[in-house]
Amino acid sequence: MTTPVPSNSDIERFINSVDVSRESNAVHYDPVMRQTSDQRHEELMSAFEELSVAEEELRAQQETLVETSTLLEIQRNRYHTLFDLAPDPYVVTDASGMIEEANAAASKLLGLAGAQLLGKPLATFVDGRSRSEFQTHLNSLGNGTRV
């Protein structure tokens, strides 16, 4: 039995299919293309390393922020405890003299519950004869003048 001889068109098709296969797999065979692929891999690894370092830095910053926030909360609670339980009356006002905070001793002295003091002008608790002088001193504090 003899095998049929391929025609010229069969040979052309075979050559074309081999060429297409070579072109699509050139990365594996061509040293220039392989080097480019290696370079890409190296660039990706470098970028990955940079991202890993950045991630670690962000984690460290987050940890620092959490620690700082915790310490701040502890200090804030300490301040409020000292403020609220102080034996002396304390009030915190804004620049115009409106009461923003008052401790228990201030509430007792002024005869109102702490919540009732909030938002009231401190000057209303000053004797009427001294109120003008008090307001002058308060205004000079807002201007940066020493009293």
Side-chain angles (χ1 to χ4, degrees):
M1 228 173 157
T2 61
T3 57
V5 177
S7 69
N8 283 342
S9 65
D10 289 336
I11 294 173
E12 280 297 319
R13 273 185 293 178
F14 177 74
I15 290 172
N16 287 338
S17 70
V18 169
D19 286 342
V20 168
S21 178
R22 278 189 194 150
E23 288 172 5
S24 66
N25 291 310
V27 172
H28 300 292
Y29 303 109
D30 186 4
V32 173
M33 293 296 281
R34 180 122 175 101
Q35 183 181 13
T36 302
S37 176
D38 288 345
Q39 288 172 344
R40 287 185 193 140
H41 181 264
E42 192 63 37
E43 288 173 4
L44 284 173
M45 292 306 293
S46 177
F48 177 75
E49 182 65 29
E50 288 177 21
L51 286 173
S52 296
V53 169
E55 178 185 25
E56 283 301 313
E57 289 174 358
L58 286 173
R59 286 184 194 275
Q61 288 175 358
Q62 181 195 22
E63 189 175 304
T64 301
L65 285 172
V66 167
E67 289 173 7
T68 302
S69 176
T70 301
L71 291 173
L72 183 61
E73 184 67 20
I74 289 168
Q75 290 299 324
R76 189 182 72 74
N77 288 338
R78 183 173 178 243
Y79 161 79
H80 273 287
T81 300
L82 290 172
F83 181 83
D84 291 337
L85 300 178
D88 296 322
Y90 291 111
V91 293
V92 176
T93 66
D94 64 10
S96 65
M98 301 299 270
I99 298 174
E100 293 180 342
E101 290 183 69
N103 70 354
S107 294
K108 185 177 178 182
L109 176 71
L110 300 174
L112 292 173
Q116 293 174 319
L117 289 172
L118 302 182
K120 291 200 183 325
L122 182 59
T124 60
F125 299 99
V126 175
D127 182 50
R129 297 175 298 228
S130 304
R131 203 170 284 157
S132 176
E133 182 182 351
F134 175 79
Q135 197 63 47
T136 302
H137 283 296
L138 185 63
N139 291 340
S140 66
L141 289 174
N143 297 332
T145 308
R146 245 182 171 189
V147 179

